């Protein structure tokens, strides 16, 4: 996880304990973060990351999250990824 | 781009076009019945489908915009906020952007539509307003219900969005099979060491993951979020793999049976087949029986749901097949040949003299069946005019908005069927006529309407009906009417008619001047009409479609434009006539009457040609053999037959040797060599094998009558 101003950069291969760190970090700072960039050039290590990102989006719909915005994401590992209930 | 990809892209473009075409109408209908939330949900579904497909085909700019449009639609359908006129405007503008964006994507052009920034900014304003009230906007509508009757797919309670199985099947290569895997992990799956990502990655090692659909319905906001609790209701994975199904089943060896399903998708699979769940592994007998029962129960429920969905989506048992219109045209041509061959047979002298009663009866039956086939094949090209009419609602709404006028569009005869070729080309001219009616026809001042005893709201009637074997499309307004004096003055100024000629013209003939290119009496040119271009579009359309227009108007009461079109372009109803031994066909749509003139009704004006007086009218005579260069023969007019016809310039009489009879003929285009002859529009093969030319009445007499 890298904090770059009001943008947060996370990688898809974050393990569950790293995702927990992200969860702990972001929860009290939600209003200060405007966007989250998800690096998708690696395989997804845990689907926990995606559900956390969705939860963040549901808490703050204006949050820009690269992988989720657009409703569909093209992944070289997982084909066309469709999200519902964002 | 591979052929397959290009074909799929073409299918997407066509289907996207159909979805977008419907959006305008649905939005207008929703404005008329704002309580009908089904319409709003329908609009949402269309946009949602478009989003998924657009992104799949790499139309990312379209996908991105549609995503925002979907957000705002979702906001209104879930929030229940009243939708104002401004929001309807925004929806309609967004549809315009989607239309233009699709075209830009198809053309692979850079740039964005004109209204892109404005609409996006308005959408964002609405959404940001929603963000500030996020607590109130808890999603209460279950999307799985919304999408349960999506055309794409449906499995149990799974939400499957934007997945087109036929597209995925087409992506399978070299013996790969398409499998559908559903992961339905329990709340505690993460603590049990089950992570969807692991299974996805292992599946990826056994094939190519083509698509995944994640259902995040149950994911709460951060406040209620419990870390390590699984909120992902299900994931639907499509994988192309060369492995047998058993190999893939082994991946789930250590999971509970109810936590996954795996099926192979084959071409032509139906919903019922997809909901069938594999019972993959051996397990403890009792447990298996119990689980099987649960599963069977679930399956039954799912099947019931599917049946219910099928009922919803198929209100009647009618089914439809999409056919390329070119194939229909080919079929029509073949049937045309069949009819011609049939005519040969019936006209054959030997056949006519047949004495065998049975054979004669059989031939008669063959004739009837051939005609029946012809009628039915013709029917395949006929589609109701409803969709084109409904599109005009948007036109009226836009013009009302721009001009500040208030008019209702009243439709009738929407079920009237018309040739598909004509319908495709009818929308543009119709838009021009309706715009003219609203912009110039209706009074700008409401006081004027009240003074004239009319309702404040203007009325434009758009109706379609059959008349004498033709289709009539009539646009009638209750506005101020057209001033014939004003038209005539303008026509004289432009040199279209002399003062002397003008004095003899009827109002109907005078009104025809407004169809001339660039002719306009509008005092001010608006961006809607007034340049005299619009009705020129109508004129070109009528020329192509072999139709005609009749304009009627009464000052202070309103005007009507009657567009008369043949039933179909492939067949023409014509009068067969003979001149100097050649058979010609005059389209009956242009014929007023035929008669044999009396000697004293014929007049010759030196240098001006020959005329015949028919009742109170003096009609110029056109000698067909002369004008077509068939012969110089000059028959006595009183011994010939005259066919009174009418074109855009008025009435005139065609001189022919004899009338043969009325007949429907299959129109054949002329080769390049004859294409330059403007007096003929096509040819037809007659029963005896002779070729007859079809006359272009518009070009036989071009001087103003």
């Amino acid at each position: 996880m890298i904090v770059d101003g009001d943008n947060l950069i996370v990688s898809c291969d974050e393990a569950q304990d790293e995702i927990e760190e992200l969860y702990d970090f972001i929860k009290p700072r939600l209003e200060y973060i405007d966007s989250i960039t998800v690096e998708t050039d690696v395989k997804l290590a845990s689907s926990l990351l995606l559900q956390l990102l969705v939860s963040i989006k549901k808490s703050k719909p204006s949050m820009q999250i690269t992988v989720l915005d657009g409703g569909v994401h093209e992944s070289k590992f997982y084909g066309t990824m469709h999200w519902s209930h964002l | 781009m591979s052929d397959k990809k290009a074909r799929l892209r073409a299918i997407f473009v066509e289907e996207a076009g159909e979805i977008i075409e419907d959006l305008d109408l649905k939005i207008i209908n929703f404005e008329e019945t704002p309580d009908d939330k089904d319409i709003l949900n329908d609009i949402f579904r269309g946009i949602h489908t478009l989003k998924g497909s657009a992104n799949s085909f790499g139309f990312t700019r379209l996908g991105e915009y549609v995503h925002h449009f979907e957000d705002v639609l979702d906001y209104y359908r879930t929030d229940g906020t009243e939708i104002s006129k401004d929001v309807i405007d925004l929806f309609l503008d967004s549809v315009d952007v989607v239309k233009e964006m699709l075209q830009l994507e198809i053309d692979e052009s850079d740039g964005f539509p004109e209204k892109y920034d404005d609409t996006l900014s308005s959408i964002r304003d609405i959404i940001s307003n929603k963000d500030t009230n996020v607590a109130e906007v808890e999603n209460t509508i279950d999307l799985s219900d919304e999408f349960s009757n999506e055309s794409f797919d449906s499995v149990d309670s799974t939400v499957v969005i934007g997945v087109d199985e036929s597209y995925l099947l087409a992506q399978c290569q070299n013996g790969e099979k398409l499998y559908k895997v559903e992961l339905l992990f329990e709340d505690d799956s993460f603590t049990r060491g089950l992570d969807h990502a692991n299974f996805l990655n292992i599946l990826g090692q056994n094939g190519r993951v083509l698509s995944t659909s994640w259902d995040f319905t149950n994911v709460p906001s951060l406040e209620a979020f419990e870390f390590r609790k699984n909120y992902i209701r299900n994931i639907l994975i499509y994988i192309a793999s060369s492995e047998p199904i058993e190999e893939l089943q082994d991946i789930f060896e250590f999971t509970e049976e109810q936590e996954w399903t795996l099926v192979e998708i084959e071409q032509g699979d139906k919903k019922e087949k997809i909901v069938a769940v594999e019972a993959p592994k051996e397990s403890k007998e009792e447990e298996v029986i119990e689980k099987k029962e649960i599963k069977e129960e679930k399956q039954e429920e799912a099947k019931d749901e599917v049946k219910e969905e099928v009922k919803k989506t198929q209100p009647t048992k009618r089914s439809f097949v999409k056919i390329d219109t070119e194939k229909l045209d080919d079929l029509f041509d073949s049937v045309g040949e069949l009819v011609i061959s049939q005519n040969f047979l019936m006209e054959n002298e030997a056949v006519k003299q047949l004495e065998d009663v049975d054979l004669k009866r059989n031939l008669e039956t063959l004739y009837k069946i051939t005609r029946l086939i012809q009628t039915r094949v013709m029917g395949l090209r006929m589609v109701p005019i409803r969709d084109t009419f409904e599109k005009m609602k948007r036109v009226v709404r836009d013009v009302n908005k721009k001009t500040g006028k208030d008019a209702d569009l009243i439709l009738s005869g929407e079920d009237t069927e018309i040739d598909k070729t004509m319908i495709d080309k009818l929308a543009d001219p119709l838009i021009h006529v309706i715009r003219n009616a609203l912009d110039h026809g209706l009074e700008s001042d409401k006081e004027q309407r009240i003074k004239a005893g009319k309702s404040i709201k203007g009325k434009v009637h758009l109706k379609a009906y059959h008349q004498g074997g033709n289709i009539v499309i009539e646009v009638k307004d209750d506005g101020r009417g057209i001033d014939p004096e004003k038209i005539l003055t303008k026509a004289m100024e432009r040199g279209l008619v002399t003062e002397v000629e003008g004095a003899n013209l009827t109002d109907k003939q005078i009104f025809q001047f407004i169809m001339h290119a660039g002719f306009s009496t509008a005092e001010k040119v608006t961006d809607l009409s007034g340049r005299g271009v619009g009705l020129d579009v109508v004129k070109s359309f009528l020329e192509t479609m072999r139709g005609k227009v009749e304009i009627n108007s009464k000052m202070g009461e309103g005007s009507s434009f009657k567009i008369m079109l043949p039933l179909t372009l492939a067949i023409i109803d014509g009068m067969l006539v003979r001149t100097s031994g050649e058979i010609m066909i005059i389209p009956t749509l242009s014929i007023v009457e035929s008669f044999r003139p009396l000697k004293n009704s014929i007049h010759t004006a030196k240098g001006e040609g020959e005329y015949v007086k028919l009742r109170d009218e003096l009609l110029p005579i056109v000698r067909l053999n002369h004008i077509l260069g068939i012969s110089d023969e000059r028959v006595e007019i009183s011994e010939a037959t005259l066919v009174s016809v009418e074109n855009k310039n008025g009435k005139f009489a065609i001189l022919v040797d004899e009338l043969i009879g009325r007949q429907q003929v299959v129109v054949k285009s002329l080769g390049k060599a004859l294409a330059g002859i403007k007096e003929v529009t096509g040819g037809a093969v007659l029963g005896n094998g002779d070729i007859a030319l079809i006359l272009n009445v518009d070009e036989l007499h071009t001087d103003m009558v």
Side-chain angles (χ1 to χ4, degrees):
Chain A
M1 175 179 67
I2 302 165
V3 183
D4 176 15
D6 49 11
N7 180 37
L8 203 62
I9 302 167
V10 293
S11 174
C12 253
D13 64 353
E14 306 237 345
Q16 289 193 3
D17 50 349
E18 289 172 308
I19 299 166
E20 192 163 12
E21 276 176 30
L22 170 68
Y23 168 66
D24 292 336
F25 175 81
I26 207 163
K27 206 175 167 187
R29 298 175 180 85
L30 192 60
E31 62 179 304
Y32 309 115
I33 297 164
D34 289 340
S35 60
I36 300 173
T37 303
V38 185
E39 291 176 339
T40 55
D41 52 349
V42 284
K43 286 184 181 172
L44 184 68
S46 172
S47 50
L48 254 171
L49 176 66
L50 290 176
Q51 70 170 26
L52 175 61
L53 292 173
V54 171
S55 181
I56 293 168
K57 187 84 180 169
K58 285 193 175 181
S59 306
K60 187 178 176 182
S62 61
M63 177 81 77
Q64 289 177 26
I65 302 176
T66 52
V67 76
L68 298 180
D69 291 345
V72 175
H73 173 73
E74 287 299 330
S75 159
K76 61 179 172 182
F77 303 112
Y78 313 113
T80 309
M81 301 176 88
H82 304 265
W83 322 121
S84 68
H85 286 253
L86 293 184
Chain B
M1 192 187 292
S2 70
D3 281 355
K4 193 190 277 179
K5 208 165 176 187
R7 192 164 43 83
L8 290 167
R9 191 177 183 270
I11 292 170
F12 161 69
V13 169
E14 193 190 334
E15 290 183 351
E18 284 171 10
I19 291 173
I20 297 168
E21 279 298 307
D22 271 359
L23 289 173
D24 265 346
L25 179 61
K26 284 174 183 166
I27 293 169
I28 300 269
N29 286 343
F30 179 68
E31 187 179 28
E32 287 169 1
T33 49
D35 293 334
D36 190 350
K37 297 293 178 205
D38 283 349
I39 302 178
L40 192 59
N41 287 330
D42 209 15
I43 298 165
F44 176 82
R45 271 195 287 271
I47 284 293
H48 191 90
T49 306
L50 195 60
K51 180 182 80 175
S53 311
N55 283 307
S56 303
F57 284 92
F59 287 12
T60 46
R61 278 180 299 165
L62 176 65
E64 174 70 21
Y65 184 82
V66 166
H67 174 62
H68 294 295
F69 189 10
E70 181 194 27
D71 280 347
V72 77
L73 287 167
D74 196 32
Y75 168 61
Y76 282 106
R77 76 193 191 108
T78 54
D79 185 80
T81 306
E82 198 178 318
I83 298 182
S84 65
K85 199 169 175 293
D86 288 344
V87 174
I88 295 285
D89 286 344
L90 173 65
F91 287 177
L92 290 170
D93 287 345
S94 301
V95 173
D96 291 342
V97 172
V98 171
K99 278 181 196 169
E100 285 176 48
M101 187 66 95
L102 176 65
Q103 198 52 52
L104 287 172
E105 296 273 31
I106 294 167
D107 299 341
E108 296 177 0
S109 308
D110 293 332
F112 292 90
E114 198 188 328
K115 296 183 204 164
Y116 183 89
D117 288 336
D118 288 347
T119 50
L120 203 55
S121 147
S122 303
I123 288 171
R124 283 190 173 135
D125 286 348
I126 293 169
I127 298 299
S128 61
N129 184 36
K130 174 197 172 191
D131 289 353
T132 56
N133 300 313
V134 70
E136 297 166 25
V137 196
E138 282 289 292
N139 216 342
T140 52
I141 293 182
D142 185 350
L143 265 178
S144 61
D145 293 336
E146 296 291 323
F147 288 92
S148 61
N149 60 358
E150 275 249 23
S151 61
F152 287 122
D153 208 349
S154 178
V155 180
D156 286 344
S157 57
T158 314
V159 177
V160 187
I161 296 165
V163 178
D164 183 346
E165 285 182 353
S166 55
Y167 171 69
L168 296 177
L169 273 166
Q171 290 196 327
C172 293
Q173 307 157 352
N174 306 325
E176 282 180 335
K177 293 170 183 168
L178 180 66
Y179 294 105
K180 180 160 70 177
V181 182
E182 189 181 10
L183 302 181
L184 300 145
F185 291 174
E186 306 285 345
D187 291 358
D188 61 349
S189 65
F190 288 122
T191 50
R192 289 193 290 125
L194 295 179
D195 194 315
H196 311 86
N198 293 338
F199 288 91
L200 260 176
N201 291 330
I202 299 169
L203 282 168
Q205 288 163 14
N206 285 273
R208 294 181 300 120
V209 178
L210 301 178
S211 161
T212 55
S213 298
W214 301 65
D215 184 356
F216 293 127
T217 312
N218 297 338
V219 179
S221 60
L222 277 181
E223 277 176 18
F225 192 82
E226 289 175 44
F227 200 77
R228 287 187 202 282
K229 181 177 174 183
N230 172 37
Y231 294 105
I232 301 171
R233 210 159 82 161
N234 59 45
I235 304 178
L236 198 67
I237 304 153
Y238 285 88
I239 172 173
S241 172
S242 309
E243 301 290 345
I245 194 163
E246 294 77 16
E247 283 291 319
L248 299 182
Q249 284 168 349
D250 284 347
I251 297 170
F252 304 99
E253 197 178 355
F254 301 105
T255 57
E256 296 291 330
E257 195 180 323
Q258 71 275 14
E259 290 182 314
W260 63 281
T261 66
L262 169 63
V263 286
E264 184 188 333
I265 304 296
E266 288 168 35
Q267 200 79 47
D269 273 359
K270 299 283 182 256
K271 283 184 173 180
E272 281 84 355
K273 188 171 178 187
I274 292 164
V275 293
V277 182
E278 289 279 320
K281 302 169 301 199
E282 287 177 11
S283 184
K284 287 177 188 170
E285 220 176 286
E286 280 180 16
E287 209 180 318
V288 169
I289 291 169
E290 194 186 335
K291 282 178 180 170
K292 252 188 161 176
E293 278 172 2
I294 296 168
K295 195 166 271 184
E296 276 167 7
E297 207 176 296
K298 269 187 157 182
Q299 284 180 41
E300 283 308 310
E301 282 173 17
K303 279 182 183 172
D304 287 345
E305 278 174 25
V306 170
K307 278 178 192 165
E308 200 55 41
E309 285 158 17
V310 170
K311 263 189 205 168
K312 272 188 213 166
T313 53
Q314 294 180 326
T316 65
K317 284 186 178 175
R318 296 176 74 180
S319 62
F320 298 90
V321 180
K322 238 180 187 175
I323 301 175
D324 189 333
T325 45
E326 269 184 31
K327 284 186 182 173
L328 271 187
D329 291 343
D330 289 346
L331 176 65
F332 199 87
D333 275 353
S334 306
V335 172
E337 301 296 339
L338 179 68
V339 171
I340 291 165
S341 305
Q342 170 69 41
N343 288 345
F344 279 175
L345 200 61
M346 299 305 278
E347 293 291 319
N348 185 290
E349 284 306 314
V351 171
K352 278 182 182 171
Q353 286 163 19
L354 273 176
E355 286 179 6
D356 187 324
V357 179
D358 283 344
L359 187 55
K360 271 188 145 176
R361 193 179 298 136
N362 287 339
L363 281 171
E364 193 60 37
T365 309
L366 181 66
Y367 173 78
K368 281 181 186 165
I369 292 171
T370 309
R371 288 287 166 189
L372 188 67
I373 292 172
Q374 187 191 18
T375 311
R376 287 185 176 164
V377 171
M378 260 182 75
L380 296 178
R381 298 170 59 105
M382 306 299 272
V383 287
I385 205 164
R386 179 179 296 280
D387 286 352
T388 309
F389 270 23
E390 297 271 358
K391 277 181 202 160
M392 299 304 135
K393 287 183 179 175
R394 168 86 196 262
V395 177
V396 173
R397 191 184 185 280
D398 287 352
V399 178
N400 276 345
K401 196 179 156 198
K402 279 193 175 169
T403 58
K405 291 181 183 177
D406 190 10
D408 278 336
L409 179 70
I410 301 152
L411 303 179
S412 61
E414 303 99 300
D415 290 328
T416 307
E417 292 192 327
I418 183 167
D419 194 299
K420 176 83 174 68
T421 320
M422 281 193 253
I423 253 187
D424 292 342
K425 292 175 182 158
L426 179 66
D428 273 354
L430 211 47
I431 287 171
H432 288 293
V433 176
I434 290 175
R435 273 187 186 167
N436 263 287
L438 291 163
D439 199 19
H440 299 312
L442 293 184
E443 298 86 345
S444 320
D445 188 358
K446 284 174 185 166
E447 292 301 318
Q448 278 180 19
R449 289 188 63 85
I450 296 168
K451 242 185 220 173
K454 298 176 189 172
S455 59
I456 294 174
K457 252 190 169 186
K459 286 189 184 74
V460 176
H461 290 260
L462 175 58
K463 51 183 168 183
Y465 52 92
H466 288 267
Q467 192 179 61
N470 299 306
I471 303 273
V472 180
I473 294 154
E474 190 176 349
V475 179
K476 193 176 175 187
D477 65 69
D478 68 343
R480 54 190 155 209
I482 306 169
D483 184 351
E485 291 295 321
K486 215 170 166 183
I487 305 270
L488 188 59
T489 311
K490 185 89 183 174
M492 288 191 290
E493 274 171 26
R494 293 198 54 199
L496 295 171
V497 67
T498 64
E499 208 172 329
V500 178
E501 287 168 338
N504 293 318
L505 294 178
T506 63
D507 282 358
K508 257 190 195 181
Q509 286 173 318
I510 293 171
F511 293 145
Q512 287 292 333
F513 285 119
I514 64 175
M515 303 302 292
H516 278 261
F519 192 94
S520 175
T521 58
E523 277 145 17
K524 70 172 183 185
V525 173
T526 68
D527 59 345
L528 295 170
S529 50
R531 294 179 194 280
V533 177
L535 292 178
D536 190 33
V537 172
V538 182
K539 190 179 139 207
S540 311
F541 164 77
L542 291 170
E543 279 166 5
T544 323
M545 297 294 128
R546 297 198 295 268
K548 64 176 187 178
V549 67
E550 193 181 294
I551 306 165
N552 288 294
S553 186
K554 204 164 181 189
M555 286 298 288
E557 289 182 19
S559 313
S560 86
F561 279 71
K562 273 168 92 171
I563 296 171
M564 280 166 267
L565 297 166
L567 269 180
T568 172
L569 292 175
I571 281 189
I572 194 168
D573 190 77
M575 176 63 75
L576 272 62
V577 297
R578 196 187 310 274
T579 179
S580 298
E582 299 288 336
I583 297 174
M584 301 283 160
I585 300 167
I586 306 172
T588 46
L589 187 67
S590 311
I591 298 176
V592 181
E593 60 191 308
S594 59
F595 58 100
R596 190 167 275 247
L598 297 170
K599 257 189 178 170
N600 58 5
S601 66
I602 301 158
H603 306 275
T604 307
K606 205 172 179 184
E608 298 267 332
E610 298 161 310
Y611 290 84
V612 60
K613 188 162 187 190
L614 180 64
R615 292 182 284 275
D616 292 333
E617 288 179 287
L618 203 57
L619 308 180
I621 296 171
V622 170
R623 287 179 180 264
L624 213 46
N625 58 334
H626 289 185
I627 205 158
L628 295 175
I630 301 168
S631 73
D632 294 331
E633 192 186 352
R634 239 188 138 73
V635 293
E636 270 299 316
I637 297 175
S638 57
E639 287 169 14
T641 301
L642 292 175
V643 183
S644 164
V645 293
E646 189 171 19
N647 69 10
K648 60 195 172 189
N649 297 319
K651 283 184 196 169
F652 60 98
I654 300 175
L655 185 144
V656 297
D657 297 345
E658 63 166 327
L659 298 179
I660 298 171
R662 190 174 169 176
Q663 195 179 320
Q664 281 198 339
V665 291
V666 180
V667 180
K668 297 275 174 194
S669 62
L670 298 170
K672 279 182 185 170
L674 296 173
I677 306 174
K678 60 184 192 318
E679 289 86 2
V680 293
T681 56
V685 185
L686 303 177
N688 59 2
D690 285 347
I691 307 281
L693 295 176
I694 300 165
L695 298 173
N696 181 2
V697 174
D698 274 348
E699 294 295 336
L700 286 179
H701 193 271
T702 49
D703 297 336
M704 179 54 65
V705 180

